[in-house]
Amino acid sequence: DVYKIMSEQFYFGKDQQDFNDKLINGAIEGMVNAGDDMHTMYLNAQQSNSFTSSMEGSFVGIGIQYYEQKDDVFVVTRVLNDSPAEKAGIQKGDQIYRIEDTVCKNMESDDLRELIVGEAGSSVEVEMRRDHKSIVFQMERQKVNDSVYHEIKDDFALLEISSFSETVGEATGKDLKKI
């Protein structure tokens, strides 16, 4: 009865996108939380896909990690190995200025992530700022392994395992061969 009233008569429901899905997800989350178990939680479809990707040790995107500076600028901290970003020439320290038609100033980190990730094989245009110059990169999103990272500097090699996902063994072996 409550669902029917909310979905058919709630005044603000008509203005919300996917309102029925929000009602169902909210109801399920409420039931799970009512169990008052800190080790049990409900994940909606998007959260579940994100969690599954993190356990696989990969995601579909361009292969960068970034952080937000104080002045609402996103800076690339790492370009993942064998990623579209590495192949295109994106570098650590580049500032993310624009994704497609969206300027990234005053944006939440999660919103930026949504613009970068997407379907494997889909293209994305990214404008970076480097040394006060704009550089536009056209890339095709692909599956990127983020569980293992390697970097070679002078006579030293760094091999970093960021998660013990199902692909970590194979990825470590590949990176060790490269080193």
Side-chain angles (χ1 to χ4, degrees):
D1 290 339
V2 174
Y3 173 76
K4 185 175 180 177
I5 291 169
M6 290 297 293
S7 64
E8 294 175 5
Q9 298 176 17
F10 182 59
Y11 180 76
F12 297 107
K14 68 182 180 301
D15 298 331
Q16 296 186 37
Q17 193 173 19
D18 301 325
F19 185 63
N20 287 338
D21 289 340
K22 287 180 182 179
L23 288 174
I24 291 169
N25 281 318
I28 295 169
E29 185 174 2
M31 287 186 284
V32 171
N33 289 342
D36 206 23
D37 177 9
M38 63 186 285
H39 302 290
T40 303
M41 66 183 305
Y42 170 70
L43 301 176
N44 64 33
Q46 181 182 2
Q47 293 166 325
S48 178
N49 288 337
S50 179
F51 177 76
T52 301
S53 288
S54 72
M55 294 308 292
E56 290 173 353
S58 62
F59 63 94
V60 175
I62 63 171
I64 60 172
Q65 295 175 350
Y66 55 87
Y67 74 97
E68 183 178 1
Q69 283 185 333
K70 291 181 184 176
D71 52 355
D72 296 321
V73 174
F74 293 95
V75 177
V76 175
T77 57
R78 178 173 287 171
V79 180
L80 298 174
N81 304 122
D82 299 321
S83 67
E86 181 182 59
K87 293 170 188 166
I90 292 176
Q91 297 176 5
K92 180 179 178 177
D94 286 352
Q95 295 179 347
I96 305 168
Y97 178 73
R98 178 181 55 84
I99 310 290
E100 294 293 339
D101 296 326
T102 305
V103 174
C104 302
K105 194 146 179 87
N106 300 318
M107 180 179 283
E108 296 292 322
S109 183
D110 287 343
D111 295 333
L112 177 65
R113 182 185 183 285
E114 290 300 315
L115 293 173
I116 293 173
V117 299
E119 294 289 321
S122 63
S123 64
V124 61
E125 184 176 275
V126 178
E127 182 177 345
M128 298 285 188
R129 298 281 166 90
R130 182 187 304 157
D131 300 324
H132 307 289
K133 296 177 186 167
S134 289
I135 306 170
V136 177
F137 298 93
Q138 188 70 37
M139 292 169 277
E140 189 174 289
R141 294 177 181 103
Q142 69 180 40
K143 194 170 190 176
V144 178
N145 185 319
D146 67 343
S147 63
V148 178
Y149 172 78
H150 77 272
E151 187 177 332
I152 300 172
K153 286 188 178 185
D154 302 322
D155 292 337
F156 298 96
L158 167 72
L159 179 70
E160 180 180 305
I161 297 174
S162 59
S163 67
F164 289 97
S165 63
E166 63 185 51
T167 61
V168 73
E170 180 182 337
T172 301
K174 279 183 180 178
D175 281 17
L176 285 172
K177 285 179 183 174
K178 290 177 185 176
I179 292 172

